[in-house]
Each structure stands twice: as structure tokens, then as C-alpha cells.
Amino acid sequence: NIPQASLADYSGRGYDRGHMCPSADRTLTVTANQQTFYLTNMNPQAANNNQGPWADLENDLRTIARTGKELFIISGGTFSASSNKIGSGVVVPDQTFKVIAVLDAVGQGPSAVTTNTRVIGVMMPNENSQISISADWHTFRVSVDAIEAATGDDFLSDVDPAVQSVIEARVDNQ
């Protein structure tokens, strides 16, 4: 039986309920916004991470989206045998990550991704002692390949493999 997270698991445990899809990204309807508050959209997140560079990154991504870009965002955590647990066994990620593909126009999809497409990979420590609330999110940029190595996942798999190998190896510098 896999334990199901509850609000009580987070109470007094020292971690925020870190939204992987932020509430501010889903404001078109009340229902869409309410859905961001499901615990399945949250990871235990160190306050210095969640309220600092993670929040700054999310704000910057909203700014990019407002310029007419289409953003595909994948968020999550990395885990290990020594990952902390809170409450009834909710595992705390060792690091949190985002993979962001920035497409030129709303409605574009994987076929529009080229070797010139901006792809941002970010991986941040998830313990207050390892990350400052005032840290610049840009300092946590890594390649998508590095995130794939840490998670065992294959991101951007719908993108042409030749393009994928180029954009996943690059570290964003914009």
C-alpha cells in the first residue's frame, strides 16, 4: 500500500507544499486554479528554495509567456535511498527540477522544436542549509541531460532525436 499524502504530513515539518505547477500559472478558470492545490501537484519543498529562486524562476517564466511564447514545463524532484521523509512517509526530494522548452508561438508543439529552441534546465538543492532564499535561479541552470541522468527519465522524447541530442546537452545562458 502506497501512503497517500495529507495536509497533516506537512504541518510543522519544515517544508512548504511546493506547487510543481504554480497556482499563478492557472488563473483562467477557478477550477483550473483549484486543481493546482491537489497534493499530487506538490512536493515537500525547502522554504529557501520554494520562496526564493524557485519562485523567481516561475515569475520569470510567466514574463516570458506573456511575450507570446508557448512554454512546455516539466517539474519534479530527484530522490535517493537517503531522501528525507515527512509525515506518513511522504518522500522529500533531494533536489527540485524544471525543464522548460520555450516555443516561438502559442499552439506550437514538438515538431516546432529546433536546435535553436531555448531550453532551460534547472536543478536546485531542496534543503534550507544548501540554498539561500536570495540565490539567483540562473546559478542552478544545468543541461536537460544532467536532469535526465539524475531522474532516469527521458524528457522531450517527442522531439526529433537529432534535435533532442543538441538541445538537451546545452546549458541555457540567456
Side-chain angles (χ1 to χ4, degrees), residues 29-88:
T29 68
V30 170
T31 300
N33 185 262
Q34 288 173 336
Q35 290 170 342
T36 69
F37 289 90
Y38 291 140
L39 290 176
T40 51
N41 182 47
M42 297 182 192
N43 272 331
Q45 205 166 359
N48 286 356
N49 175 345
N50 188 42
Q51 297 171 33
W54 189 264
D56 295 340
L57 169 62
E58 290 174 335
N59 287 330
D60 286 353
L61 295 176
R62 279 189 284 280
T63 298
I64 292 169
R66 283 192 289 273
T67 68
K69 304 287 188 184
E70 178 85 64
L71 275 60
F72 284 89
I73 303 171
I74 304 162
S75 298
T78 66
F79 303 90
S80 66
S82 61
S83 294
N84 291 329
K85 291 187 172 110
I86 60 170
S88 62

Side-chain angles (χ1 to χ4, degrees), residues 87-107:
S88 62
V90 177
V91 182
V92 178
D94 301 320
Q95 301 174 93
T96 56
F97 71 84
K98 281 191 187 283
V99 173
I100 305 104
V102 182
L103 299 177
D104 289 331
V106 173

Side-chain angles (χ1 to χ4, degrees), residues 131-144:
I131 189 169
S132 167
I133 197 166
S134 61
D136 181 349
W137 72 263
H138 295 88
T139 64
F140 299 103
R141 288 180 293 185
V142 297
S143 68
V144 173

Side-chain angles (χ1 to χ4, degrees), residues 4 14-15 21 23-24 28 34 67 89-92 122 151 154 158-159:
Q4 183 172 339
Y15 292 95
C21 176
S23 167
L28 289 180
Q34 288 173 336
T67 68
V90 177
V91 182
V92 178
V122 176
T151 63
D154 180 17
D158 287 346
V159 173

